[in-house]
Amino acid sequence: MKITIIGAGPGGYETALEAAKKGIECVLISDGPVGGTCLNEGCIPTKSLCRDAELCRCRQGDPEYSKVLARKDSVVSRLREGVEFLLKNKLIRLIYGKASFADVHTVKVHAADGAELSVTSDYIIIATGSVPAPLPVPGADLEGVIDSSAALSLQEIPRRLCIIGAGVIGLEFASVFSGFGSEVKVLEYCGNILPHFDTDMAKRLKQSLSRHGIKIETSARVQGIARDGQGSLHVSYVKGGEENETVGDKVLMAVGRRANVRSLNLDDIGLAWTERGITVNGYMQTSIPHIYAIGDVTGGLMLAHVATFQGYRALGHILAGQPAEGAVDNIDFSVVPAAVFTEPEAASVGLTEDECEERGIAYEARKAFFRANGKALSLDSADGYCKLLVDKETGLVLGCHIFGPHSSDLIHEAALLMNGKIPVDEYRGFIHAHPTLGEVLQAAARE
Ligand code: NAD
């Protein structure tokens, strides 16, 4: 059996490694460095910047920004080299070039060195990720209006940064650059930040970010951007029927990402896709059953770990002989932890309170605050809370929403409770070490 995987992000390369471990011949095609957006222009470099911004905020000094950038680049290249080594070690054929479909079993590749080649295989997995979505307003293409990739390689810290969109990307960069001393203003179209997260948690996080000096305007509709003679960018927006303006040295567009499908030639082979992304079923099969699609390109939850596990699902389905129904693994895609690496961090898993209410589920919200947690106080990081949503009938955890120190790590404990279907009363008997941040979950359960 031979599988071709298009795209070497955490969906593509992890699936290739898993396939190789099972003895399957695998070809991986990538039109950029291995690791994709996550490793090269997303999750990993931003985490390096987050750490330096946090240190900078604590020391209250000016960072040596060239050193910050150098450290970020070295973190990225170390990880990239690691992935390249693993692929080589598992004898996965890696082709650098742009892939498109020649027919339903053949992918043609315009290699980086100008050569053209074709790869034919039994199965193909599309894992081409996503690209930043542009905001269709006048001035969006002006110099100084940047996307998240460009924000990572700015050579100087902007004095004034305007960010359009208070989603995950907008807020992570707001936190990073405010830590480095920029004056940051965020404009968000919806009535609250992080519209896909728990409303109560998002409101409290907004207060925390505001205390760090980040100005956030919600219900703000951006109209356009203009550049004046000094190079400043004027962003005009409407809020509450009134026209307003904010000025920045840079404007970061963070209004979402869209599936990267355009150059694949999908229409020629009759593979179904919409503006949202490639259409797939629960096994990640596209409308052509031996072609699968995983990750951002399917337009679902755009998270690196979701892409990886969707790849495992697709592989499991192939190995099981493509059954039409039934489970091929124990992955539960309703339990997906997600984290926002702001300062303080926020993290979520499962249902929000709004979703519980929409579904008519009788639930109770159990909360514990970091201000009562000895470790958080010792860390001087006691802002935030943990909220467990518990089903009143079954006692099972429906969701968990945390903001505060290390919540991106703490959330997995709640995910385990959900995966393991462990009732909260049973969890109350699980001993936690003292003093630790993890005690905040126990404290919420014991409420
Ligand atoms: P997003 O969908 O999370 O947020 C975009 C925000 O922009 C929304 O709040 C939206 O209301 C707002 N917006 C849209 N149009 C606007 C307008 N005209 N004016 C003002 N605001 C507007 O998208 P993102 O932050 O760009 O991230 C893209 C994807 O990448 C998301 O799916 C996200 O989950 C993922 N991502 C995840 C992480 C993480 O898990 N830590 C990090 C980065 C990105």
Side-chain angles (χ1 to χ4, degrees):
M1 185 199 296
K2 182 172 167 186
I3 302 182
T4 296
I5 300 175
I6 308 173
Y13 82 73
E14 293 282 9
T15 308
L17 289 171
E18 193 68 12
K21 277 184 212 159
K22 301 199 184 295
I24 298 170
E25 184 188 349
C26 208
V27 179
L28 185 61
I29 305 168
S30 179
D31 70 348
V34 294
T37 302
C38 165
L39 199 162
N40 298 287
E41 299 183 325
C43 320
I44 303 301
T46 49
K47 295 313 89 66
S48 176
L49 293 186
C50 283
R51 171 68 181 149
D52 280 306
E54 186 190 355
L55 291 174
C56 188
R57 191 179 275 122
C58 295
R59 290 196 207 112
Q60 304 202 324
D62 282 336
E64 274 191 69
Y65 200 56
S66 56
K67 285 193 181 158
V68 168
L69 292 179
R71 196 179 81 83
K72 172 202 68 146
D73 291 341
S74 103
V75 168
V76 169
S77 48
R78 273 171 62 188
L79 269 175
R80 199 162 51 212
E81 282 160 22
V83 175
E84 282 164 353
F85 171 81
L86 287 174
L87 294 171
K88 209 171 177 175
N89 192 253
K90 289 273 177 283
L91 306 177
I92 292 162
R93 184 174 166 212
L94 175 62
I95 304 173
Y96 285 106
K98 205 154 193 69
S100 60
F101 281 93
D103 61 52
V104 294
H105 279 285
T106 311
V107 170
K108 57 177 191 260
V109 189
H110 297 274
D113 60 7
E116 293 228 359
L117 56 144
S118 291
V119 185
T120 299
S121 49
D122 305 292
Y123 298 97
I124 297 166
I125 300 178
I126 305 169
T128 48
S130 60
V131 291
L135 184 63
V137 292
D141 53 357
L142 283 171
E143 193 190 331
V145 180
I146 56 175
D147 62 17
S148 54
S149 308
L152 284 168
S153 43
L154 285 177
Q155 295 304 303
E156 292 176 1
I157 299 162
R159 189 170 68 78
R160 299 164 301 178
L161 175 64
C162 174
I163 299 178
I164 305 178
V168 185
I169 294 182
L171 292 183
E172 288 188 357
F173 278 101
S175 213
V176 160
F177 282 108
S178 114
F180 287 140
S182 299
E183 279 171 34
V184 178
K185 178 141 179 180
V186 186
L187 302 175
E188 165 58 45
Y189 180 77
C190 292
N192 200 6
I193 64 168
L194 294 176
H196 309 301
F197 281 70
D198 186 82
T199 310
D200 172 46
M201 187 194 74
K203 275 188 187 151
R204 289 167 189 257
L205 179 66
K206 182 175 175 236
Q207 289 163 0
S208 278
L209 297 175
S210 304
R211 279 197 291 276
H212 282 302
I214 298 169
K215 295 196 178 76
I216 303 175
E217 292 276 15
T218 50
S219 307
R221 187 159 45 84
V222 171
Q223 305 276 73
I225 308 166
R227 201 177 155 90
D228 68 21
Q230 280 75 50
S232 297
L233 294 156
H234 297 247
V235 182
S236 52
Y237 62 97
V238 175
K239 182 178 163 115
E242 276 181 27
E243 289 197 8
N244 294 278
E245 184 183 272
T246 185
V247 185
D249 301 305
K250 296 280 182 227
V251 174
L252 169 62
M253 291 280 192
V255 293
R257 297 179 63 87
R258 62 172 167 76
N260 184 20
V261 289
R262 292 192 193 276
S263 56
L264 289 168
N265 226 9
L266 299 181
D267 292 335
D268 283 8
I269 58 163
L271 192 141
W273 64 284
T274 64
E275 276 307 309
R276 197 178 144 81
I278 295 178
T279 313
V280 287
N281 65 15
Y283 297 117
M284 312 316 297
Q285 279 176 300
T286 66
S287 57
I288 301 174
H290 68 274
I291 303 180
Y292 292 72
I294 60 168
D296 289 11
V297 75
T298 63
L301 277 176
M302 292 191 175
L303 297 169
H305 43 291
V306 169
T308 301
F309 280 80
Q310 287 179 339
Y312 297 158
R313 165 68 53 89
L315 196 59
H317 190 245
I318 293 171
L319 289 171
Q322 294 196 303
E325 55 186 59
V328 293
D329 55 49
N330 66 349
I331 301 167
D332 182 350
F333 284 104
S334 72
V335 183
V336 176
V340 190
F341 295 86
T342 41
E343 167 69 32
E345 291 180 354
S348 266
V349 64
L351 299 181
T352 62
E353 282 203 62
D354 288 343
E355 285 167 339
C356 288
E357 270 155 32
E358 277 159 26
R359 294 177 194 197
I361 301 172
Y363 73 97
E364 56 180 332
R366 300 191 186 183
K367 286 183 195 168
F369 291 82
F370 280 104
R371 61 175 178 262
N373 179 288
K375 181 74 181 283
L377 280 165
S378 314
L379 290 171
D380 199 16
S381 189
D383 197 8
Y385 76 3
C386 167
K387 177 168 71 176
L388 278 176
L389 303 179
V390 180
D391 189 309
K392 275 188 178 171
E393 268 178 39
T394 62
L396 293 176
V397 175
L398 299 162
C400 179
H401 308 281
I402 313 177
F403 85 96
H406 296 276
S407 43
S408 61
D409 297 309
L410 298 176
I411 197 69
H412 296 107
E413 188 161 320
L416 277 179
L417 293 179
M418 294 178 71
N419 278 132
K421 301 199 171 21
I422 297 169
V424 79
D425 282 345
E426 193 180 328
Y427 172 65
R428 285 157 63 107
F430 294 3
I431 301 173
H432 284 57
H434 176 74
T436 56
L437 295 172
E439 287 174 295
V440 77
L441 279 131
Q442 263 278 315
R446 286 188 159 273
E447 260 306 292

